[in-house]
Amino acid sequence: MKWDRRRRIAAGLVVFVMVLAAVLVLQRGEERRAAERADVRLLAFAAYDEGRHDQAVAGLATFADAGDAAASLRLARLYAEGLGVSRDPARARTLYERAAEAGLVEAFLPLARMLEAAARRSGEARDWEAARGAYQQAFAAGAVAGAGEAATRLADLHAAGDGTPASDLDAAAWYRRGAEARDPMAQLRLGLLYVEGRGVPQDLVRAHAWLNVAAATLPASQAQLRETAIVSRDAVERRLSRAERAEARRLAHELFG
């Protein structure tokens, strides 16, 4: 009986060792496949970053379909702009939504733009509401999500009455938020509102300050708008006293700094 018991113990040990070996083999296989998958992901992301978009598409699609939010964001940009793949706004929107739902704030603003475009096509109130909600989400998420541009787009919607009643007060409030978030377009438009006294009390000192900031921050690619800021600022300056000019410059330095 002792011999039988020893044989059973030995047999059990053999089975245990075999099972352990099988588990280790499986683990190593999983680790190898995970490492290979990580390498493929890195290659796809590198191709995207280096502008080899046609090479990036297939790799990004594999990971996007598996729920990789970062891959979804990059693939969305390719579909939105038709880079390395045929332009497909509907596919781009789905991918941006997937990335946004996963919490990637970089997806908020481009998704909001696509929702606004859809609202302009449909004219439906629910689509306008979705677009405004997406812009508000981008604004709340901060600079990484494009808060300044998001605020400016909301201001533009209120100014034009697109999908919402026209309101100079609401437009001015959102332009101020955009201007404070360093969006040059918002700075220009807020300055012009102060010149006209629309949505805000007329204030030529503040108008000069914001126009001065806009003139300094508008990029060279927007030369016409920068010229508008400069011409408008100089026109306002001629209406100011020496003390008001000094105050306007002090305020511009404070706002720009």
Side-chain angles (χ1 to χ4, degrees):
M1 291 184 64
K2 288 183 179 180
W3 176 248
D4 289 341
R5 183 182 178 189
R6 287 174 182 170
R7 281 194 302 177
R8 286 197 299 271
I9 293 172
L13 287 172
V14 170
V15 171
F16 174 77
V17 170
M18 291 175 65
V19 170
L20 181 60
V23 169
L24 290 173
V25 168
L26 288 173
Q27 285 179 340
R28 287 170 186 161
E30 287 296 327
E31 289 170 358
R32 184 173 63 253
R33 283 189 290 273
E36 291 170 352
R37 188 174 175 82
D39 289 341
V40 172
R41 185 178 187 273
L42 284 174
L43 289 172
F45 277 51
Y48 174 89
D49 293 340
E50 294 166 8
R52 294 181 282 110
H53 300 129
D54 54 337
Q55 297 176 30
V57 170
L60 291 175
T62 297
F63 291 97
D65 291 342
D68 187 318
S72 295
L73 176 64
R74 287 161 176 76
L75 189 60
R77 290 170 177 160
L78 298 183
Y79 274 109
E81 299 176 31
L83 298 172
V85 68
S86 297
R87 188 172 178 275
D88 189 339
R91 174 70 168 149
R93 175 175 167 175
T94 298
L95 289 162
Y96 276 131
E97 287 174 338
R98 190 179 298 170
E101 287 168 2
L104 278 189
V105 297
E106 296 94 329
F108 293 169
L109 184 59
L111 175 59
R113 294 194 200 105
M114 300 200 85
L115 291 173
E116 181 186 348
R120 291 189 182 282
R121 290 192 298 270
S122 72
E124 295 289 337
R126 65 176 180 273
D127 292 336
W128 281 113
E129 184 178 354
R132 289 195 303 275
Y135 279 128
Q136 288 167 354
Q137 186 179 32
F139 175 76
V144 174
E149 183 182 338
T152 302
R153 291 302 306 135
L154 283 165
D156 289 344
L157 296 181
H158 285 291
D162 289 334
T164 187
S167 169
D168 287 340
L169 284 173
D170 289 333
W174 279 109
Y175 281 134
R176 181 180 292 106
R177 295 183 183 107
E180 290 171 350
R182 297 181 177 275
D183 184 74
M185 186 65 69
Q187 293 165 349
L188 172 60
R189 289 176 178 162
L190 181 61
L192 293 175
L193 289 182
Y194 273 118
V195 174
E196 300 169 10
R198 288 178 48 207
V200 290
Q202 187 181 49
D203 188 331
L204 296 183
V205 170
R206 287 192 175 277
H208 186 284
W210 279 117
L211 291 169
N212 207 6
V213 171
T217 57
L218 280 162
S221 60
Q222 294 180 301
Q224 188 172 353
L225 288 171
R226 187 165 59 179
E227 182 65 19
T228 297
I230 292 169
V231 169
S232 301
R233 178 201 64 195
D234 292 348
V236 169
E237 185 165 333
R238 289 191 288 271
R239 299 167 64 182
L240 300 178
S241 67
R242 180 177 297 178
E244 287 171 331
R245 291 174 190 173
E247 174 60 17
R249 292 192 178 92
R250 184 202 64 77
L251 181 58
H253 179 75
E254 179 182 303
L255 294 170
F256 188 72

